[in-house]
Amino acid sequence: MWRLAWRNLWRNRTRTAITMTAITFSLALMLISQGINEYSYEQMLGSADKAAGGSVLVNAAGYWNSRGSELVLDDGAAVVATVRSALPKATVLPRVIIQGLLSSSHGNQGLEVHGIDPAAEDSFRNIKRYLAEGDFLDGEQKQPLVLGRGIADDLGLQLGDRVVLTATDPDGEMVRALFRLSGVLDSGSRSVDDAAAYTTLAAAQQAVSLGDRLTQVGVVLPAAASPDDAKRALLAAFGAKASALEVLTWAEAMPEIIALIEMDSKMGEGMLFAIFIIVVFGIANTLLMAVMERIRELGLLSALGMTPQRIGALVLAETVLLALVSITLAVGIALAAHAALQVYGIDMAAFSEGEVEMSGVIVENLVIHSTIVPAKWLGAIGAVFALVVLAALYPAWRATRVNPTEAMRTYA
């Protein structure tokens, strides 16, 4: 039966080629899109910990939701020492984060100032690469401040100009601190340049009378380490003191990134599936036309003793062979495209100016390649095969209903 089905498949080569082309290119497009999307998601996840501030973040309990100035790590040195002891291979980043109002002679702007250790942060996020003017906290100024281009322009600031930061200290008292603009960052992302503000850890602690207290300790893990395992290790190391702390993985700190990836993935798969459903209806119509054109032939086979079940199975066998050939070609095209993308990639810099940003995360690698996830490819291939076979069920059923006598008389 399979040999007969193969011969029947190529009796009308034009129709078979058209149907096969529709299946092949639809599936190939689906697989190529999956590869590009998976690579893009990997890039986003790889940059998300930098946007969050680390693989794991340690704050005072309740800080992440309220950002209150009173929520600080009282013994910052002890917290840093505990983190380093529990995770000796990790990079530890002490920070002071100040919510305040920055004022110049040209106006005011609310923003979040990050007091950091420049050397440690540079090894993690390499903020210095965005430096357009001045220096990045490595000069001799006692109260340096590095701002994004957008903030500096809005406040009419030039290098060396004085600005006043008004904020609240941990005791709830209003404080003011004088800074001088020492550097300007230009990342190419407007939302980033409108929010970036950095000073040294010591200057931030002095500005809001923190002493040795900290707002946050960021933990950067080695590439193969699990943030969830690191979080459990930290909670165990802090012991009873953990109840006063908030230890979050980057995924818990930025759940919108995970939600965005899941939503984008589902929407992409849904759109491709909808496109293929339309293709399936076209395939079903083509197969039904093929059955109707062969009514006399099918009637003759029935008159010669072939049962309706075997006639229907013959039509399904033709469809299965059509699907297998189409899927093989589609996988070949997709693998070739994957190999080409791995070598050449798609340069997104040609379609955008500056950095590419998604949900607040700057994607640093602007050349898009492809990543194969075998489970997803097998799922897509299986779904396409099932849909093509389902498209043949009605034409096959119609073939089983052929009356030999009427078929021979009507189509003689």
Side-chain angles (χ1 to χ4, degrees):
M1 182 177 67
W2 289 100
R3 182 177 297 179
L4 178 60
W6 179 257
R7 290 177 177 175
N8 287 339
L9 194 61
W10 297 104
R11 288 171 57 184
N12 191 325
R13 298 192 178 188
T14 301
R15 180 172 59 212
T16 299
I18 292 173
T19 306
M20 191 177 293
T21 300
I23 300 172
T24 298
F25 283 101
S26 297
L27 177 57
L29 175 63
M30 187 181 297
L31 297 178
I32 294 169
S33 297
Q34 279 188 351
I36 292 174
N37 289 341
E38 289 299 326
Y39 182 85
S40 300
Y41 299 152
E42 286 180 359
Q43 292 298 299
M44 283 189 65
L45 293 175
S47 301
D49 63 340
K50 296 180 181 180
S55 310
V56 181
L57 304 174
V58 181
N59 297 98
Y63 173 81
W64 199 254
N65 287 327
S66 69
R67 301 297 179 105
S69 61
E70 75 282 1
L71 298 175
V72 295
L73 301 171
D74 289 326
D75 192 346
V79 173
V80 170
T82 301
V83 173
R84 285 176 174 157
S85 175
L87 303 170
K89 295 183 179 180
T91 301
V92 182
L93 307 174
R95 298 190 184 103
V96 170
I97 302 174
I98 306 171
Q99 308 286 339
L101 181 70
L102 198 64
S103 304
S104 73
S105 58
H106 290 78
N108 307 293
Q109 184 163 332
L111 80 171
E112 187 176 85
V113 178
H114 289 243
I116 61 173
D117 177 346
E121 291 283 346
D122 192 53
S123 67
F124 171 49
R125 291 191 282 189
N126 191 19
I127 304 170
K128 190 183 294 186
R129 72 187 187 279
Y130 297 129
L131 190 67
E133 299 177 35
D135 61 71
F136 188 75
L137 308 178
D138 51 8
E140 298 181 356
Q141 295 184 30
K142 293 183 178 180
Q143 298 295 111
L145 185 65
V146 176
L147 297 175
R149 174 72 71 187
I151 305 173
D153 289 345
D154 289 344
L155 295 179
L157 297 174
Q158 301 293 327
L159 290 179
D161 287 352
R162 295 184 299 178
V163 289
V164 176
L165 176 66
T166 303
T168 305
D169 68 14
D171 298 324
E173 298 294 330
M174 188 78 70
V175 294
R176 289 182 175 83
L178 180 67
F179 290 87
R180 285 188 181 275
L181 184 66
S182 61
V184 177
L185 302 175
D186 192 347
S187 69
S189 169
R190 183 67 182 178
S191 63
V192 173
D193 293 338
D194 284 349
Y198 299 95
T199 188
T200 61
L201 187 64
Q205 288 173 323
Q206 181 181 348
V208 288
S209 306
L210 280 181
D212 68 345
R213 289 175 289 184
L214 300 171
T215 308
Q216 180 182 90
V217 175
V219 183
V220 182
L221 300 173
S226 165
D228 292 321
D229 291 343
K231 176 181 176 179
R232 285 189 286 269
L234 287 176
L235 291 174
F238 284 120
K241 296 180 180 179
S243 60
L245 301 175
E246 186 174 58
V247 182
L248 302 175
T249 65
W250 72 262
E252 292 171 331
M254 300 187 70
E256 64 274 10
I257 299 298
I258 304 297
L260 174 66
I261 290 175
E262 291 178 351
M263 180 182 70
D264 186 75
S265 178
K266 296 299 182 185
M267 288 183 62
E269 291 174 359
M271 290 182 64
L272 289 172
F273 188 77
I275 291 172
F276 202 83
I277 288 294
I278 297 172
V279 173
V280 163
F281 277 105
I283 294 170
N285 180 64
T286 301
L287 294 175
L288 182 59
M289 290 176 61
V291 168
M292 299 306 295
E293 289 177 1
R294 295 163 57 193
I295 285 291
R296 187 172 186 276
E297 173 193 332
L298 297 175
L300 180 59
L301 291 175
S302 181
L304 292 174
M306 183 176 283
T307 63
Q309 291 77 15
R310 286 185 63 82
I311 292 175
L314 177 64
V315 175
L316 287 177
E318 294 173 13
T319 305
V320 168
L321 290 173
L322 176 68
L324 291 176
V325 173
S326 301
I327 288 172
T328 302
L329 292 173
V331 171
I333 293 172
L335 288 173
H338 170 77
L341 287 169
Q342 288 296 88
V343 175
Y344 302 106
I346 301 173
D347 188 1
M348 297 302 295
F351 304 98
S352 63
E353 296 182 2
E355 303 284 353
V356 174
E357 180 191 351
M358 296 183 70
S359 191
V361 176
I362 293 180
V363 180
E364 299 172 358
N365 186 356
L366 296 181
V367 179
I368 302 299
H369 298 286
S370 176
T371 298
I372 295 178
V373 179
K376 289 194 173 183
W377 273 44
L378 290 174
I381 290 169
V384 167
F385 179 80
L387 286 172
V388 173
V389 173
L390 285 173
L393 289 181
Y394 179 70
W397 176 81
R398 285 295 303 268
T400 65
R401 310 302 294 176
V402 173
N403 185 298
T405 305
E406 293 182 2
M408 298 294 289
R409 181 173 65 250
T410 304
Y411 297 93

